[in-house]
């Protein structure tokens, strides 16, 4: 019982004690009240409720107790089948009552008991528990009931499952009797689990002919049984089959064989001769139609019902024979949209007058009313004229334009007259471009036909005469609406920018007014944001950007002042600096926003799927881009002709690194492709269909078009001169901020609800409004009479959106301020982080692979040999079974991580990875060379993979710490990072899409009224923070030594500052002043600190850099006191070029053995013969050799990457060559025994430093 008891106390501390700052005594009281035997029992539940009663007066206490109680029930009592089996029977009964929506209460004699049925409500969920005499209630999260049901029904096993099922079935019956129908929310949640179980069982069936045979009579006769559970299980199966049937119907073209097989199974469920079952049969049919409508839209559904094969199916014929007036009205004319976004209560006066004039002309073929409309329009001022012309365009679009899609062959007489009037009327106050748009959206195809042939096919989306697909019509009508609101837009409206783009693009870019909405932002902002999000220590309010005299721009992190130099990639001159001092070629860059001017987007095929610019992300960013490309597309149509002019050439940003190629292609194709791409991506990102997207966009246009003035959040102009027509940089940024806060956030916050409401409103004027309302589930079923609920079961047959990753993305994006409310959830879901999560769990295997490779091959294999050896050949050649298991495990994880993450890696530090490397997929046939991490050539690939994944791990765990509460965040920041050498499975993140969606489905979702899917993002945010609570990883990867290559390292001190020896008299004075090991050790610490800092900083500028005194360097750079060097001689005589010699003197004073830190691998005693050979030649070596042997040991032999069986001669000679000690190198090569191996290193030092014979 230890584990669940500890978990209970841990949850109490996490959710209650720490957030509320409870005194220790309160925690102790709770712990004492816990039962002494097993913890999973009602006595523990009572202890929790008693504690809640005691602290209930504290602010937030009941909410905290709710989180604790829910976590205790779900994660302790119902964690898994084993835990459920251990649950006390009474506690199991209480948990079932909670799942049904009943509270638990503290009873004086019974302890804890379930609440009475009178407390159950369909309209309002009661709390989890009711406390004592004060009638306090512990609130219940909306997803709890379904989560509890899932645990009890789907997770439990054996006797516990049997008891839980019996209790739940009894509760189903009791609640049905209480409500007098089976269509309750509790029954609905039970059906959700039944449908999931059916999906698991039936999805294995390969063909509809294998589906179970069922009928309405057999299913709903069970409603009168002792419990409705069996009926609900059958409903789950029926819903699954109908969902699959709808998928067959939505596929174009429809697979007739699959359709006929499916109809044979679902037909008996969609028709009945039993009058008592007729209402529920209609609900079943409606459920099928809802599935189709949610996937493809109302207009597609109408067309589907009016055409074969559906129109010939027995169930449709049976439905039509019943003379269901609402159904017949719905099918109606299915070739065009049946709803109008321009009519209704919010129709403008201008639209109504224009529509009446158009109607009169269509009836009489006379244009008198149109002439009068034009004259009346002329009598107004220019702003009002624009509104009248916009109203005329909308009337033409909705009435005559859409009707053109139904015309085939000869045109009606009124159309000829209308086309002529629009083309020639002198009384209409419009310019040529506005006239062209009126003609096009009236359905006149002549302007498009007259366009230059090469452009004509790209402007065909504007031609509707002779037939048009439903989705094409929806897009066409949106463009018409967009053109109309742009025509009417005053300069103070955000739409003025787009109007200028549509009608006057040639005047759009003058002077500094050259910025377009939704274009890329300053790349430097991206860099800064990325670094800050990854937790880098970037000082704000400091300049971080610098540039070389050649113009090359670069970034300096942390304090923003240079501490190292490097070569400029542009001109090879030194840039950066030392000790906060810039080189002569380095200058501070200004912080001015350098967002690119004009139009910069690449072709649509290369456009990013997930948009973000400045502070606008996701669907909001895509909506702005859609409006921009829609206005540009309408502008091209307005300028159509032969020849076709190029109207956007001057907008194209043609900088060297720009990806835009519009100036090299047909503008009509380039912009048309972008508009189509924006529309498709937006449909997908919102998890909606094209028709609902069109409704949402019409809502947006109506709201924006109704506003005369759009003031920015922080005004930059006076009340009289607000003008959005031309945008400078500041106004462009405010334009995006204003449309986001005033329009887009409000629209996408509750997109589905607003679309449903507008479907009802815009469709109610048509004859099928009532049926559409049923399909869209616009009414609250809880308000239906109970007799109707009993007959139709509308809640059980409500559409329920599937819980998918795309749905989760869309719902998160629709939340207002999601990046502030759920910061870590947004971080985890961002790309490419989410895609590479599985690879992060393989980091242990990656580092194990590197360790195995270094220990096996470092110093023993050349690059050419590694290039010729296949990794599979090496693995197959390992003989030791235990060793082979280690290698294969590490290789498998390395290969998996590569194939997951490598496609997302483009750079390694400043180096762009070549394309032929980026396309590489590794397997056992790949050369070993690609598996050895190295900063050069092929080795960059595994090194880049390791570093990139480690950075992504650290980015996530750092973000997790930042998004936690202040106390936990501070503790996380104090926690040291974990070395990659000591990395364990508990240190890495093991999470992926499957784990995320499993938790979401099991704990974070429920279905509300009408089957609406609701997410508990707070619960998900907390779970993710727990899963990603890991230490950061510090890479400690030993360098790989290639056989035959120099051992010298670029980071050695002499490579930074050339070192000099100390004079004998200086050494003598140092020894006299530093006459104790403690003083020498204190001084040695400062010397090593300075050395380390110099090495990490890079090379100093100039040959006189070593002249700086050590004392000056320590005080000015390291900010240490001069007294930290306890020697006057050292403070006055030691310069930076004396560091190595000074360190040697200090170690001699301390008498520190240079062999103390050498790894045992190099401490093997040689044979007596080798020792004798060495003693015989030691007098032939110069005195400097011992120093080199000692230095090499301290620098290289603390780790084990050098092979122990390599001859010392080869290694030592390479080190001496690097140290430029030719005398010692010649002596070693001539006299050192070749039988002396690296494993004898310590013994060699002892023999050479000894004077014994």
């Amino acid at each position: 019982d230890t584990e669940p008891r500890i978990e209970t106390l841990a949850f109490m501390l996490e959710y209650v004690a720490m957030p509320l700052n409870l005194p220790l005594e309160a925690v102790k009281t709770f712990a004492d009240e816990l039962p002494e035997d097993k913890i999973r029992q009602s006595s523990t539940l009572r202890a929790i409720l008693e504690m809640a009663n005691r602290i209930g007066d504290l602010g937030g206490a009941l909410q905290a107790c709710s989180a604790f109680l829910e976590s205790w029930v779900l994660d302790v009592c119902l964690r898994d089948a084993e835990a459920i089996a251990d649950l006390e029977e009474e506690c199991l009964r209480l948990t079932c009552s909670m799942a049904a929506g009943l509270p638990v209460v503290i009873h004086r004699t019974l302890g804890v008991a379930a609440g009475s049925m009178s407390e159950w409500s369909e309209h309002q969920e009661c709390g989890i528990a009711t406390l004592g005499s004060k009638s306090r209630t512990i609130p219940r999260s909306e997803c709890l009931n379904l989560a509890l049901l899932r645990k009890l029904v789907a997770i439990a096993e054996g006797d516990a499952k049997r008891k839980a099922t019996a209790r739940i079935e009894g509760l189903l019956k009791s609640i049905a009797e209480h409500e007098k129908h089976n269509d309750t929310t509790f029954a609905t949640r039970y059906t959700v689990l039944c449908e999931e179980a059916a999906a698991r069982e039936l999805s294995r069936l390969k063909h509809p002919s294998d589906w179970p045979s069922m009928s309405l009579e057999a299913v709903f006769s069970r409603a009168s049984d002792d419990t409705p559970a069996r009926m609900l299980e059958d409903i789950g199966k029926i819903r699954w089959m109908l969902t699959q049937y709808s998928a067959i119907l939505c596929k174009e073209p429809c697979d007739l064989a699959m359709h006929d097989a499916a109809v044979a199974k679902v037909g008996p469920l969609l028709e009945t001769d039993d009058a008592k079952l007729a209402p529920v049969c209609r609900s079943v049919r409606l459920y099928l139609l809802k599935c189709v409508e949610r996937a493809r839209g109302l207009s597609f559904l109408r067309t589907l019902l009016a055409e074969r094969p559906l129109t010939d199916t027995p169930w449709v014929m049976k439905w039509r024979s019943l003379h269901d007036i609402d159904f017949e009205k719905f099918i109606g004319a299915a070739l065009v949209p049946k709803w109008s976004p321009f009519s209704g209560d919010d129709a403008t006066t201008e639209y109504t007058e224009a529509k009446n004039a158009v109607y009169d002309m269509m009836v009489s073929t006379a244009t008198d009313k149109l002439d009068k409309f034009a004259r009346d329009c002329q009598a107004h001022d220019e702003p009002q004229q624009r509104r009248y012309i916009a109203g005329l365009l909308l009337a033409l679009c909705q009435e005559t334009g859409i009707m053109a899609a139904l015309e085939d062959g000869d045109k009606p007489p009124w159309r000829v007259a209308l086309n002529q009037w629009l083309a020639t009327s002198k009384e209409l106050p419009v310019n040529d471009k506005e006239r062209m748009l009126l003609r096009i959206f009236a359905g006149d195809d002549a302007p498009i036909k007259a366009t230059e042939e090469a452009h004509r096919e790209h402007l065909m989306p504007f031609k509707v005469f002779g037939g048009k697909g439903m989705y094409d019509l929806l897009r066409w009508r949106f463009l018409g609406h967009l053109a109309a609101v742009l025509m009417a837009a005053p300069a103070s409206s955000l739409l003025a920018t787009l109007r200028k783009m549509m009608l006057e693009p040639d005047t759009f870019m003058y002077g500094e007014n050259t910025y377009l909405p939704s274009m890329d932002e300053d790349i430097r902002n991206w860099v800064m944001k990325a670094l800050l999000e990854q937790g880098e220590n970037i000082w704000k309010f400091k300049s971080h950007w610098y540039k070389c005299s050649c113009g090359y721009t670069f970034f300096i992190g942390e304090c923003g002042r240079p501490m190292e130099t490097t070569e400029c990639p542009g001109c090879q001159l030194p840039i950066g600096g030392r000790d906060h001092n810039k080189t002569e070629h380095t200058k501070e860059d200004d912080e001015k926003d350098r967002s690119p001017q004009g139009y910069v987007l690449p072709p649509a095929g290369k456009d990013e799927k997930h948009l973000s610019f400045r502070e606008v992300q996701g669907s909001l960013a895509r909506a702005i881009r859609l409006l921009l490309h829609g206005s540009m597309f309408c502008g091209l149509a307005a300028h159509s002709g032969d020849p076709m002019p190029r109207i956007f050439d001057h907008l194209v940003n043609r900088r060297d690194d720009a990806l835009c190629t519009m100036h090299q292609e047909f503008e009509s194709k380039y912009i048309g492709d972008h508009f189509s791409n924006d529309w498709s991506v937006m449909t997908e990102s919102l998890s909606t269909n094209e028709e609902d997207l069109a409704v949402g966009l019409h809502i947006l246009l109506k709201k924006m078009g109704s506003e005369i003035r759009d003031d920015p959040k922080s005004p930059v102009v006076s009340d009289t001169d607000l003008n959005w027509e031309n945008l400078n940089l500041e106004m462009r940024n405010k334009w995006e901020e204003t449309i986001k806060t005033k329009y887009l956030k409000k629209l996408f916050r509750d997109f589905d609800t607003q679309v449903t409401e507008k479907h009802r409103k815009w469709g109610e004027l048509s004859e099928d409004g009532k049926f559409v309302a049923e399909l869209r589930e616009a009414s609250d079923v809880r308000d239906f009479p109970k007799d109707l609920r009993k007959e139709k079961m509308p809640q059980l047959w409500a559409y329920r959106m599937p819980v998918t990753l795309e749905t989760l993305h869309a719902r998160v994006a629709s939340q207002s301020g999601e990046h502030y409310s759920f910061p870590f959830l947004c971080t985890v879901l961002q790309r490419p982080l989410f895609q590479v999560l599985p690879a992060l769990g393989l980091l242990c295997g990656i580092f194990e692979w590197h360790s195995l490779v270094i220990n096996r091959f470092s110093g023993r294999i050349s690059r050419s040999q590694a290039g010729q050896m296949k990794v599979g050949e090496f693995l197959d050649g390992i003989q030791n079974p235990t060793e082979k298991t280690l290698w294969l495990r590490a290789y498998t994880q390395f290969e998996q991580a590569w194939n997951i993450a490598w496609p997302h890696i483009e750079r390694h530090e400043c180096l762009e990875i070549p394309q032929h490397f980026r396309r590489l997929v590794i397997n056992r046939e790949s050369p070993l060379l690609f598996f050895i991490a190295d900063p050069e050539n092929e080795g960059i690939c595994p090194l880049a993979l390791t570093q990139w994944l480690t950075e992504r791990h650290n980015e996530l765990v750092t973000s997790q710490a930042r998004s936690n509460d202040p106390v936990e965040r501070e503790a996380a920041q104090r926690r040291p990072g974990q070395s990659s050498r000591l990395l364990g499975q508990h240190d890495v993140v093991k999470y992926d899409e499957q784990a995320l969606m499993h938790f979401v489905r099991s704990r974070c979702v429920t279905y509300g009224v009408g089957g609406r899917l609701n997410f508990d993002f707070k619960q998900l945010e907390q779970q993710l923070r727990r899963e990603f609570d890991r230490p950061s990883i510090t890479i400690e990867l030993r360098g790989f030594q290639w056989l035959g290559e120099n051992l010298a390292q670029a980071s050695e001190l002499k490579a930074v500052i050339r070192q000099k020896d100390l004079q004998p008299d200086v050494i003598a004075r140092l020894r006299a002043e530093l006459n104790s090991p403690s003083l020498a050790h204190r001084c040695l610490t400062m010397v090593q600190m300075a050395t380390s800092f110099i090495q990490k900083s890079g090379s100093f500028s100039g040959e006189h850099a070593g002249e700086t005194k050590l004392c000056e360097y320590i005080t000015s750079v390291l900010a240490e006191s001069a007294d930290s060097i306890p020697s006057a001689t050292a403070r006055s005589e030691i310069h930076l070029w004396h560091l190595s010699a000074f360190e040697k003197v200090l170690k001699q004073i301390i008498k520190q053995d240079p062999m103390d830190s050498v790894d045992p691998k190099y401490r093997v005693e040689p044979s007596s013969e080798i020792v004798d050979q060495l003693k015989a030649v030691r007098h032939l070596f110069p005195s400097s050799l011992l120093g080199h042997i000692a230095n090499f040991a301290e620098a290289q032999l603390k780790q084990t990457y050098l092979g122990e069986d390599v001859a010392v001669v080869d290694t030592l000679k390479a080190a001496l060559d690097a140290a430029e000690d030719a005398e010692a190198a010649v002596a070693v090569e001539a006299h050192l025994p070749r039988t002396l191996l690296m494993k004898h290193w310590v013994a060699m030092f002892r023999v050479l430093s000894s004077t014994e014979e």
Side-chain angles (χ1 to χ4, degrees), residues 876-1176:
D876 293 338
I878 301 174
Q879 299 301 316
N880 186 300
T882 303
E883 183 183 2
K884 188 168 188 174
T885 300
L886 288 175
W887 276 94
L888 288 175
R889 180 182 64 192
Y891 168 77
T892 300
Q893 294 188 41
F894 184 90
E895 180 185 359
Q896 289 175 352
W898 178 293
N899 292 331
I900 292 170
W902 190 244
H904 302 283
I905 302 174
E906 299 179 355
R907 307 183 70 85
H908 171 58
E909 297 177 347
C910 295
L911 176 68
E912 184 173 353
I913 296 174
Q915 283 296 323
H916 63 282
F917 281 170
R918 289 192 60 197
R919 292 191 292 267
L920 188 65
V921 177
I922 63 168
N923 52 45
R924 292 170 65 93
E925 296 298 311
S926 302
L928 183 62
L929 195 58
F930 283 100
F931 295 83
I932 300 176
D934 187 67
E936 296 181 5
N937 303 322
E938 292 84 351
I940 287 178
C941 298
L943 184 61
L945 173 72
T946 306
Q947 291 184 349
W948 192 85
L949 285 175
T950 303
E951 289 168 0
R952 299 292 77 74
H953 169 96
N954 291 343
E955 178 182 345
L956 281 168
V957 300
T958 302
S959 177
Q960 183 273 341
R962 286 203 310 273
S963 60
N964 242 321
D965 66 70
V967 176
E968 295 182 12
R969 181 165 61 247
E970 183 178 350
Q973 290 171 346
R974 289 198 304 265
R975 183 170 57 188
Q978 180 66 288
S979 167
S980 61
R981 294 185 294 106
L982 306 175
L983 202 63
Q985 291 293 336
H986 57 281
D987 297 317
V988 299
V989 173
K990 301 185 78 65
Y991 211 69
D992 56 15
E993 179 180 343
Q994 183 177 357
L996 173 73
M997 295 311 299
H998 173 76
F999 184 80
V1000 169
R1001 293 187 180 103
S1002 62
R1003 294 288 294 274
C1004 303
V1005 296
T1006 191
Y1007 291 93
V1009 178
R1012 177 175 171 78
L1013 177 63
N1014 297 320
F1015 288 93
D1016 187 346
F1017 291 124
K1018 183 177 179 181
Q1019 179 79 250
L1020 182 55
E1021 173 87 1
Q1022 292 173 343
Q1023 167 68 7
L1024 288 174
R1025 291 200 323 226
R1026 286 192 290 268
E1027 289 288 342
F1028 287 78
D1029 186 11
R1030 301 288 188 272
S1032 60
I1033 298 174
T1034 302
I1035 297 181
E1036 294 185 3
L1037 203 59
R1038 302 195 307 271
F1040 188 86
Q1041 178 58 47
W1042 293 101
L1043 185 64
E1045 296 188 11
N1046 200 326
L1047 283 170
Q1049 300 297 316
S1051 61
E1052 289 181 358
L1053 181 60
K1054 63 182 177 60
V1056 182
I1057 299 176
R1058 189 172 184 85
Q1059 295 296 289
K1060 296 182 179 182
D1061 292 331
L1062 288 169
Q1063 295 298 319
D1065 64 311
V1066 175
I1067 294 176
R1069 284 154 52 198
L1070 289 172
R1071 286 181 178 276
E1073 294 175 6
L1074 300 170
N1075 54 12
S1076 70
S1078 62
L1079 287 175
H1081 190 275
R1082 179 179 165 190
C1083 200
L1084 179 62
T1085 300
M1086 297 309 303
V1087 170
Q1088 291 176 338
M1089 184 188 299
T1091 301
S1092 175
F1093 195 85
I1094 291 170
Q1095 289 174 326
K1096 291 180 179 179
S1097 298
S1099 58
F1100 275 45
S1101 300
E1103 59 182 18
H1104 302 294
E1107 291 179 352
T1108 303
K1109 288 184 179 180
L1110 173 62
C1111 182
E1112 295 175 4
Y1113 187 80
I1114 287 175
T1115 56
S1116 63
V1117 178
L1118 301 185
E1120 297 286 345
S1121 169
D1123 294 336
S1124 58
I1125 301 180
S1127 164
T1129 300
R1131 289 194 294 270
S1132 62
E1133 299 292 342
I1134 302 300
H1135 298 255
L1136 295 185
W1137 53 35
H1138 294 137
L1139 284 176
S1140 294
F1142 188 31
E1143 183 176 2
K1144 181 178 179 181
V1145 171
L1146 293 172
K1147 287 180 177 180
Q1148 289 172 353
I1149 297 172
I1150 299 171
K1151 295 183 179 176
Q1152 181 175 314
D1153 189 342
M1155 298 297 121
D1156 283 348
S1157 58
V1158 174
D1159 191 88
K1161 181 178 179 178
Y1162 307 108
R1163 293 176 174 273
V1164 178
E1165 290 296 326
S1167 65
S1168 56
E1169 292 84 358
I1170 296 176
V1171 172
D1172 291 341
Q1173 292 175 16
L1174 191 56
K1175 287 180 178 180

Side-chain angles (χ1 to χ4, degrees), residues 22-30 32:
L22 292 185
L24 183 60
E25 188 61 31
V27 178
K28 185 176 184 302
T29 300
F30 171 74
D32 292 341

Side-chain angles (χ1 to χ4, degrees), residues 548-670:
C548 176
S549 54
C550 73
Y552 177 78
T553 304
F554 58 97
F555 181 87
I556 297 179
E558 296 186 346
C559 67
R561 300 173 68 185
M563 289 299 296
E564 59 180 299
T565 61
T566 188
E567 285 188 356
C568 172
C571 63
Q572 284 70 54
L573 291 172
I575 56 175
R578 285 281 171 204
D579 303 330
H580 295 171
N581 296 313
K582 303 186 295 289
T583 68
E584 61 178 313
H585 303 289
T586 300
K587 297 179 181 179
E588 285 191 19
D589 200 3
D590 62 70
E591 297 293 311
K592 181 180 178 182
D593 189 337
R594 294 183 186 166
S595 296
Q597 299 182 10
Y599 188 90
V600 299
L601 301 183
K606 297 181 179 179
D607 191 20
E608 294 183 10
K609 185 175 181 181
H610 299 275
L611 282 186
S612 176
F613 43 82
R614 287 156 289 281
E615 300 302 321
V616 189
Q617 295 99 11
S619 300
L620 283 68
R622 183 62 65 180
I624 295 176
R625 184 100 25 112
L626 179 68
L627 291 176
L628 174 72
H629 286 131
S631 62
M632 295 175 74
F633 205 22
C634 288
L636 287 163
H639 289 78
S640 58
D642 189 4
M644 183 75 180
R646 298 191 66 87
I647 62 174
F648 298 127
D649 253 4
H650 62 292
L651 295 177
V652 176
N653 188 312
R654 307 189 191 192
R655 65 189 186 196
D656 292 340
D657 59 341
L659 300 176
C660 181
T661 58
M662 182 164 63
H663 56 291
Q664 302 169 358
E665 304 179 30
F666 292 139
E667 290 178 341
S668 52
K669 180 181 187 306
Y670 202 91

Side-chain angles (χ1 to χ4, degrees), residues 1202-1214:
L1202 292 176
E1204 70 270 25
D1205 294 324
V1206 175
V1208 170
V1209 172
D1210 298 332
T1211 302
L1212 192 53
K1213 185 177 183 303

Side-chain angles (χ1 to χ4, degrees), residues 393 433-434 437 441 479 482-488 496-505 508 628 630-639 647-648:
L393 192 151
K433 303 176 191 66
E434 292 168 335
L437 290 172
F441 287 107
L479 289 171
L482 177 61
V485 296
L486 295 187
M487 280 185 181
T497 305
L498 304 179
R499 178 174 60 82
K500 200 83 167 177
M501 178 70 76
M502 179 178 75
L503 297 176
E504 304 174 56
F508 196 87
L628 174 72
S631 62
M632 295 175 74
F633 205 22
C634 288
L636 287 163
H639 289 78
I647 62 174
F648 298 127

